[in-house]
Amino acid sequence: MTSSEIINFYHSVDTETLSKKANLVCESIYGNKVYLRGLIEFSNYCQCDCLYCGIRKSNPHVQRYRLPQQSILEIVKAGYKRGLKTFVLQSGEDSYYTTKMLTEIIEKIKLLTNNEAAVTLSCGMKSKNDYQSLKSAGADRYLIRFETSDPKFHQYLRGGISFKRRLKALEDLKTCGFEVGSGYMVGLPDETEQTRINNALLCNELELDMLGVGPFIPHPKTPLKTASLHNIELTIRATALARLLLPGANIPATTAAGSLDPLGREKVLQVGANVLMPNITPPDNKKNYLLYPGKICLDESGFECMGCLNNRIATIDKKLSLERGDAKTRLCATP
Ligand code: SAH
Ligand code: SF4
């Protein structure tokens, strides 16, 4: 189907039919495999002030932390021993970690994992030169969501940072040779159904390798604290649409989906998501990385989560895979 046929289909069917189709498309490419990525939230310092985010710089209630290189490497070592082949290093925009420090961490991860593991970064906007250095050091993938495809709304939500600048970062990452991930939140205040459709179409246009679609959950210490919380249905429909438009992309079942609904991750894994990201940040730190309230699995180490996730997805006939799981991107819908 072309992208306009997919949008027509999306409008004309109920959620169950949409979901079944998206699951079929996903299984035709990825079978019943769910790729695992170990998520390390290495710093909750951020110089940005995104209105939606619990760790924005203007929130004085956050207990800030930074993991030293040695701790990050120890977590990677433990994860690699348990079979993980992708490590996602996420943080606020924290210039304490210079590009030189990050390149050293990436190089050491590659050494520790015999070059077998993929390194994904999610540390916000940087210059093209910085992205190039990180790629040359061995980083494989980079995640940076555009959050919403409505330029005015984007600029408002991100404390004045323009949508054009965010897209430039995505373009730079692609030019530097990264597998590129982006995506958006679902259920932001004033968002319309058309915004959600435009978001999905933009992902298609960008030919993303990875695409995160997560529910927006209002944080009580942010300017959006009184925004309404939507149920998981919006995220289910958005995930299914994303899968239909980008059959080959890697799409995670987000922790936010699991936090909004106890079975949220299972639900989105049945409508096109094919990735889970157990949070292997030390419990003492991850409880301070609260982008939104009600985040799950704060007391467990991510390694305990791996066992739990295995049991959970067995209930929906899926199987965890410890492969690197590179994306099969070139399968985007044509206009
Ligand atoms: N600083 C980096 C990475 C950390 S934020 C960046 O901004 O790209 C990672 C993602 O968390 C953001 O892209 C955003 O989509 C999501 N997020 C932030 N606040 C949220 C909230 N209140 N509810 C749901 N997701 C949120
Ligand atoms: Fe910082 Fe990312 Fe939160 Fe924005 S969303 S305030 S860039 S951590």
Side-chain angles (χ1 to χ4, degrees), residues 245-256:
L245 285 165
L246 288 108
N250 276 320
I251 303 183
T254 61
T255 305

Side-chain angles (χ1 to χ4, degrees), residues 6 9 86 89 116 118 120 134 152 209 245 263 289-290 311 318-319:
I6 290 168
F9 175 72
T86 294
L89 269 51
E116 268 191 315
T120 305
L134 297 168
K152 265 203 196 131
D209 303 288
L245 285 165
L263 292 176
Y289 196 93
L290 294 184
N311 297 337
K318 303 264 178 186
K319 220 173 83 201

Side-chain angles (χ1 to χ4, degrees), residues 46 48-50 52-53 55-56 91-93 147 158 291:
C46 191
C48 295
D49 227 1
C50 304
Y52 43 80
C53 178
I55 63 168
R56 65 200 296 269
S91 67
E93 293 206 2
E147 317 294 359
R158 302 214 57 250
L291 307 171

Side-chain angles (χ1 to χ4, degrees), residues 257-274:
S259 304
L260 176 64
D261 179 315
L263 292 176
R265 286 172 300 177
E266 288 87 336
K267 287 178 183 172
V268 295
L269 285 169
Q270 288 175 288
V271 302
N274 70 317

